[in-house]
Amino acid sequence: MKGFLRMNTGFQVRIAILVTLLIGLSSSIPGFLSLANASSVIENVGLIGLVGTGIMLTMIVGQLDLAVASVAAVAAIMALSLAGDSLPLGIVVALVMAGLYGAVIGYVIDRTGVNSLVLTVCMLIALRGLALVMTPDRPAILPFEMFWVSDGLVAQWGPLTLMGIICLVAIGCVGLALRHTKLGLSMYAVGGNPERARGSGVSTARVYMAAFAGSAMLGAAAGILAALRSGSASGLGFESFLLAGITVAVVGGIPLEGGRGTVVNVLLGALIIRLISSAVALGGIPGSFESIAVGGILLAMLLLDYGLGRRRQSGAARSRAAALQNPSTHTNGG
C-alpha cells in the first residue's frame, strides 16, 4: 500500500483503471479468466507493447516515429520472401535493414532539424509504397514446410505463448538498457533539455540515431512475429500498428514532451487496451464500442496528464517565487 501511495498520481489512476477493468470484466463476462483468454491477452500485449516500446524511445527524446507500421510491413515481407532460402537469414536482414533505416532518420533529424512528424510521415508513405511494390499480386507467404514456426509461436504454455515470451523479454531488455546504460540515460537527458544535454557533452546525433533505430527494429520485429503467426504478410496488413502503438504509449503515461517514460508505462497501457478488446470479443459487443471506449480512455489520459503537468508547473513557479522572496535561506542557511 505504501508503494502505491508513493507512485505519481497519473500512474495511480492508471493502476486503478486496470484493477477496475479486471474486476468488472472477470465478474461479468464468462470465460474472461480462462487460460485461453489470458494467453491471448498476454500475447497481444507483448506484440503491441513491442511497437509501443519503439515509439516510446522516440517520445522520450522529444520526437515521434510515425512510420513504424510501414517499417513493420516491409520487414515482414522481406523476412518471408527470404524464408524459402533461410528464415533466420531473412529475419536478420530485415532487422538490420530496419536499424540502418532508423539510424539514418535519426541522423537527418539531428543534422537538419526537420520535424520528425513530417519526415516520418513522408517515410510512412514511401515505405508503404515499397511494401506494395514488393507484393504486387499476392501477399508474401511463409513456405508450407515452415508452418511449424507458426504453430510453435502460438503454442500455449499455461497462460503464455512463445510469441508472448519473446515480446516481453525484448521489452524487458529495452527497459534495462534505458535505466542502466549511458546511452539510455542520455535519451532522458536529451528529451528533457536538448541544449543542456549538448552542453554536458551528450551527442544528440547518437541519441536520435539510437532512438529511431530502436523504434524501427522493434516495429520490424513486431511485424515479423505477426507475419510468422499468420503465415503471410501484405503491404497494407500492418496499418493498425501505428495507432495502436501510440495509443498504448499515451494511455500508459508516456508524455509527448519527452524526457520521461518507462516500458512499465507501455505495458500498462497495452494491458488496459487489450482487456477492452478481449471484453468486446468475448462479450459479443459490436467493435464500434471498442473504438469509443479506447478513444474515451485516451482522451481522459491526455486531459489527466495535461492537468497534472499544469499542477507541476504551478508548484515549480511557487517554489521559485518563494526562493526569490527569501534569498537568505540560500545564502546563509536561514
Side-chain angles (χ1 to χ4, degrees), residues 51-70:
V51 179
T53 298
I55 291 174
M56 175 200 71
L57 293 177
T58 62
M59 292 174 72
I60 286 176
V61 300
Q63 306 291 335
L64 189 59
D65 182 6
L66 297 181
V68 63
S70 296

Side-chain angles (χ1 to χ4, degrees), residues 16-29:
I17 290 173
L18 177 62
V19 172
T20 302
L21 282 172
L22 279 172
I23 295 174
L25 297 177
S26 61
S27 61
S28 60
I29 298 179

Side-chain angles (χ1 to χ4, degrees), residues 33-59:
L33 293 180
S34 66
L35 273 181
N37 188 54
S39 174
S40 174
V41 168
I42 293 172
E43 180 180 300
N44 285 291
V45 162
L47 184 65
I48 202 58
L50 208 57
V51 179
T53 298
I55 291 174
M56 175 200 71
L57 293 177
T58 62
M59 292 174 72

